[in-house]
Amino acid sequence: MSRIRADQLVNRAGSGGPKFPHGVAEGFSVSGIVTATSFRGDGSQLSGVDASTLKDGNDVKVQATNTGATVTGTLVATVTGDVTGNVTGDLTGDSTGTHTGDVTGNVTGTATTATNLANAGNITTGTIADARFPSILPAISGVNLTGLPSQADINTLTANVAMLGFKVAVNGSLSKYNLVDQTIDEFIDTSGIDSGATSSMNHSGGSYTSIQAGNYFGDGSDGAFTSSGNVTVNVSNTNGTYDGDMVIKQYTSFTLNNGHTFTTAQACRGMLIYVQGDCSINGTIDMTARGAAADPTNTASWNNAGSDGNTVGANGLQIGLLRSANNSTFTNDGSGFNGCGTAARNAVANQSNLSGNGKIYTISRQGAGGGSGNHSNNTQTGNNGSNGGSGNQTGGGGSGATSGSGATNAGNGSFGSCWGGGSGGAGTHGSTGSSMHAAEWGGQAGGGDFGGNAGGAGNPGGAGNGVHGGAGENGTGGLIIIICGGTISGNGIIRANGKNGGNWNQDNSGGGGGSGGGAILVLGVTNSFSGTVQANGGVGTPNSGSMGSSSRAGGNGGSGYTLSEGGLTGSGSVSGTGTLQSVDTTASSVPTKSDFVALIENSQGTAVLNTDIKAYVSRDSGTTFTQGTLVDEGTWGTNKKILAFHDLDISSQPSGTAMCYKIELANQASGSKETLIHAASHGWA
C-alpha cells in the first residue's frame, strides 16, 4: 500500500502520536508538536522559529546583528577573533586580540600593550620598563604642583649659600674658589679678577673701589700754616707736669720761617704733624726735653694711660704707609698708636691699609739701655747710655760718675720708651742708695747723695746735693712724626734731644748722667729737606766747674732713632667710574639662567642701585653681557648692603660655558660717594 489517507494518526493506544523510528520522507507535513532525536536539513522551511536570537525562556541571551551577535550574561568561551563592541562585564581569561573599544571593567590579567590609558592611576601593580620612558621628558607646567618652595624661598636660599660661602672664604683666608656651577670671591686677593678687563678699580683691605689708594695726609682742619713767630702747641689729657696725649696737627700746607720755633707746651707722647701739601722748614721743630714719663706697658702705672686707655703693642708704635718701593702688608686700624690718645688713634686709622704695597714705620716700645753705674773704689766717669738708631729706639740715659777713694755704686741710667729717651743716673762719693738710679720709662732721674754729688737728667731731673753738685736738667728727647703729601724742603732744624746731667763743682763730687735722645720720622712724597734732623743724647756733665777736670763727668745720654725719606704714594686719585670683571669659570653645561649676589659698603654717600652700581653676567667669556636688575636683600653691617638678582635670562647670548661677571661703578667722588665692593657670588643653571 503506497498511500494512507487519514485525518489523524495516533499510537495504538490512542493516547499520543505515532513514532517513526526510521524517519519520514521528504515533504512530510506535521501540524502540532514534533518530537524527534534529531532533524536534518537546513531548517529554512521551519516556521515559528526566530533564527536571530537564543533565549532562556523569554530572556534573550544571544541576539544576532548584521555585524555579529550581542551576548547578555556570562560568556564562557574562547574568543579568537576581534572583539569590536563594548565588554561591560568581567573578562577573566586571556585576551590576545586587539581591543578598539573601551574596557570599563577591571583587567585582572596581564595587559601587554596599552596605547591610551584614560586613567593611569588604575595601574596598581606591575612594572613599567625603563625603555618605555623617553630619554628627555616633555616640558610640563608645574603651576599646579603643591608642597614646592616658592621662588622667593629659592632666592633666599641662594643668598644664604652665598653668605655662607663668603664666611668660609674669610675664615679660611681663601681666594676665589668654585662650587658646582657657582663661584665665590671674598676678594682676599686679586686672583679672581681679570686685570686686563678691569679698569679704574683699586684693591685694598679685601675690597674694590674706584677711589684709587693713597696715603692719608690729614684732613687739613688746621688750615694753611705760616709762622710769624714762635709757636707753642697745647697738650691735652695732661697728668701732672710731664704726661699728656700725642699732639695732632693737620695742615693743608706748612711754612716755618727762619728763626721761629714750633714746639709743645710741655712734655707729652709725641707730636704728629700731617701736611696735605708742601712743607717748608727753615725754622726749628723742637721736641727737646718733651719726652713723656710714661710706661707704655701698664695703663694703671704711676703715669696713667693716654686718653684711649690702651697699652702700646709689643711691636711698638706702628704706621703703614703706601710706598711704591716696598711690599709690606699692614692694617691701619689705629691700634698701632695705642696709648698715644684717642685723637692719634683716630687719625692713623684713616691711613689706607697695606696689601703688599707699602712700608711699616716703627718706633720700638722700649728704648735703648741706660749706662751702668760704676762700682769701683776710685774716681771714674760715668758710662754712656746706648744709642737707639739700630733698633728704632729712643736713646738710653747715661750713668753718674764716681769720685774719690771709697766711691762705689754710681747711679744707673735707664731706658726710655717710644715716647721719650731714658733718664740719667746720679754721681756718687761713697756708698749710695737706690735713689741714685734713674727710673725706667723716662721717669725720675737719679738724685745726688751726701757730699755734693750731681743729679742726672730726666723727668724730672735729679736733685744735686749742696752747692758742690748740681741738679740734672729736666726732660728727655721726645717724639716727632711728620707725614707730608707734597714736598718737604728747607734747611732748618728738626730735633728731639736729651738734656744734660748735673755738674760736679767740688772735689769728691761725681757728675750726673745725661738723658737719652728721642725719635724722629720725616716722611714725604718728595723729601728735599737739607737741614738738620737730630735726636742727640744730653751731655753727662757739660761743665766740671772750678776743678777743671772731666774725670768725674757723668755719662752721656744715647742718641735716638731718626729717619728722613721720601717716596710715599700720594693721597690717591678719584675715578668717577670703574669696571670690575671676573676671570672665567667653566660651566658644566650651557646655562640659560644666572644668579648674582654682592656685598657692598656705602663708605661715603649712598650708591643708587642700577645707576651708581650695575652688575652683568656673560656665558661667552665677556664678549656678550646681560645686565641684571639689582635689588636690596638686606644688610650685613653698618652702611653695608646685600645686593642680588636671580634667574636672569641669558639664553639669548651666544652659546657658551665661559662664565664671568662684571660690576660697574659710576658717579664716584672722594668724600661724597665712595662705594666699596667686598665680595661677589655668581651662579648659573
Side-chain angles (χ1 to χ4, degrees):
M1 187 169 61
S2 61
R3 179 177 293 180
I4 297 175
R5 292 178 180 263
D7 293 328
Q8 293 181 346
L9 291 177
V10 298
N11 63 8
R12 180 179 294 181
S15 60
K19 297 180 179 180
F20 302 92
H22 302 290
V24 294
E26 182 180 355
F28 185 79
S29 178
V30 180
S31 65
I33 298 173
V34 178
T35 301
T37 57
S38 66
F39 293 92
R40 293 182 179 179
D42 61 7
S44 61
Q45 300 301 314
L46 295 175
S47 62
V49 178
D50 186 353
S52 67
T53 64
L54 294 176
K55 297 181 178 181
D56 180 10
N58 292 324
D59 297 331
V60 177
K61 299 301 183 182
V62 180
Q63 175 66 60
T65 68
N66 60 349
T67 59
T70 300
V71 180
T72 303
T74 302
L75 176 63
V76 182
T78 300
V79 181
T80 58
D82 295 338
V83 180
T84 59
N86 295 329
V87 180
T88 59
D90 295 336
L91 177 64
T92 58
D94 295 336
S95 177
T96 60
T98 300
H99 297 187
T100 59
D102 298 332
V103 180
T104 59
N106 295 325
V107 179
T108 59
T110 300
T112 59
T113 303
T115 58
N116 186 14
L117 295 176
N119 188 350
N122 290 331
I123 302 175
T124 58
T125 61
T127 301
I128 300 175
D130 292 344
R132 295 297 90 204
F133 292 97
S135 60
I136 300 177
L137 296 176
I140 62 173
S141 173
V143 295
N144 294 321
L145 297 177
T146 61
L148 297 179
S150 66
Q151 185 61 53
D153 294 332
I154 295 173
N155 292 345
T156 298
L157 290 173
T158 300
N160 286 341
V161 169
M163 293 297 292
L164 181 60
F166 296 149
K167 293 181 182 295
V168 169
V170 171
N171 292 337
S173 297
L174 302 176
S175 58
K176 178 254 187 185
Y177 68 101
N178 300 333
L179 302 175
V180 177
D181 286 335
Q182 185 175 1
T183 66
I184 301 288
D185 198 344
E186 185 72 17
F187 302 145
I188 300 290
D189 57 29
T190 61
S191 61
I193 298 302
D194 185 344
S195 60
T198 297
S199 63
S200 300
M201 296 292 281
N202 172 62
H203 177 264
S204 179
S207 66
Y208 281 94
T209 178
S210 66
I211 308 299
Q212 302 301 298
N215 285 303
Y216 176 76
F217 297 105
D219 59 13
S221 56
D222 292 306
F225 171 80
T226 300
S227 68
S228 58
N230 296 335
V231 177
T232 301
V233 182
N234 290 327
V235 177
S236 62
N237 193 39
T238 58
N239 180 38
T241 305
Y242 298 103
D243 189 17
D245 282 354
M246 179 177 286
V247 171
I248 307 296
K249 302 302 290 184
Q250 304 186 70
Y251 298 109
T252 56
S253 62
F254 184 89
T255 301
L256 183 63
N257 291 315
N258 185 37
H260 298 163
T261 299
F262 189 97
T263 189
T264 61
Q266 64 176 70
C268 61
R269 302 184 186 205
M271 176 165 50
L272 173 58
I273 300 175
Y274 280 116
V275 183
Q276 293 179 331
D278 293 335
C279 177
S280 175
I281 304 170
N282 289 298
T284 302
I285 296 178
D286 199 358
M287 287 293 284
T288 297
R290 295 296 191 270
D295 181 355
T297 69
N298 190 350
T299 61
S301 66
W302 51 269
N303 59 285
N304 293 322
S307 60
D308 61 289
N310 296 302
T311 60
V312 177
N315 293 326
L317 302 184
Q318 290 191 306
I319 186 171
L321 297 177
L322 297 170
R323 196 168 186 269
S324 59
N326 301 95
N327 57 3
S328 296
T329 296
F330 187 76
T331 300
N332 284 303
D333 58 1
S335 62
F337 271 49
N338 278 351
C340 295
T342 301
R345 275 181 51 98
N346 291 345
V348 171
N350 290 315
Q351 297 292 152
S352 298
N353 296 325
L354 305 185
S355 183
N357 57 351
K359 180 177 179 178
I360 304 171
Y361 295 90
T362 300
I363 305 295
S364 296
R365 182 171 66 181
Q366 181 174 313
S372 177
N374 293 313
H375 299 275
S376 65
N377 190 21
N378 53 27
T379 300
Q380 282 188 314
T381 58
N383 293 313
N384 297 333
S386 298
N387 298 325
S390 61
N392 297 18
Q393 298 169 292
T394 57
S399 77
T402 58
S403 176
S405 63
T408 60
N409 199 27
N412 297 329
S414 188
F415 57 83
S417 72
C418 50
W419 300 311
S423 298
T428 186
H429 175 71
S431 62
T432 60
S434 60
S435 63
M436 300 286 292
H437 303 305
E440 299 174 343
W441 307 115
Q444 174 77 51
D449 68 346
F450 70 93
N453 295 295
N459 286 341
N465 191 317
V467 297
H468 303 297
E473 294 180 337
N474 291 326
T476 66
L479 172 65
I480 301 173
I481 301 174
I482 300 173
I483 302 175
C484 176
T487 298
I488 305 174
S489 62
N491 59 3
I493 300 172
I494 304 171
R495 67 189 181 196
N497 298 330
K499 298 295 286 184
N500 301 330
N503 293 321
W504 61 273
N505 295 318
Q506 293 290 331
D507 195 15
N508 295 328
S509 300
S515 62
I520 301 174
L521 296 175
V522 183
L523 311 170
V525 174
T526 301
N527 192 339
S528 59
F529 182 68
S530 59
T532 301
V533 179
Q534 61 183 209
N536 299 330
V539 177
T541 304
N543 182 359
S544 59
S546 61
M547 303 306 297
S549 173
S550 62
S551 61
R552 302 169 187 168
N556 298 328
S559 61
Y561 172 65
T562 64
L563 177 66
S564 180
E565 68 178 17
L568 300 184
T569 302
S571 60
S573 59
V574 179
S575 178
T577 61
T579 299
L580 182 70
Q581 184 170 321
S582 72
V583 297
D584 292 342
T585 301
T586 303
S588 58
S589 61
V590 178
T592 59
K593 294 185 178 297
S594 183
D595 283 5
F596 181 80
V597 181
L599 302 184
I600 70 121
E601 178 182 359
N602 289 310
S603 178
Q604 298 289 335
T606 301
V608 179
L609 301 191
N610 307 303
T611 299
D612 300 330
I613 181 169
K614 302 176 182 178
Y616 308 77
V617 297
S618 171
R619 68 179 186 181
D620 63 354
S621 189
T623 300
T624 307
F625 278 104
T626 301
Q627 183 181 355
T629 301
L630 292 170
V631 297
D632 185 346
E633 293 194 340
T635 63
W636 59 286
T638 304
N639 298 327
K640 297 177 178 178
K641 294 291 186 180
I642 305 170
L643 307 183
F645 56 74
H646 302 282
D647 292 326
L648 177 67
D649 187 355
I650 57 175
S651 61
S652 63
Q653 293 187 14
S655 182
T657 58
M659 307 301 297
C660 65
Y661 64 84
K662 178 176 67 175
I663 303 172
E664 291 181 347
L665 295 179
N667 304 315
Q668 301 292 292
S670 181
S672 61
K673 184 172 290 185
E674 298 181 22
T675 306
L676 305 181
I677 307 167
H678 289 274
S681 170
H682 181 205
W684 50 86

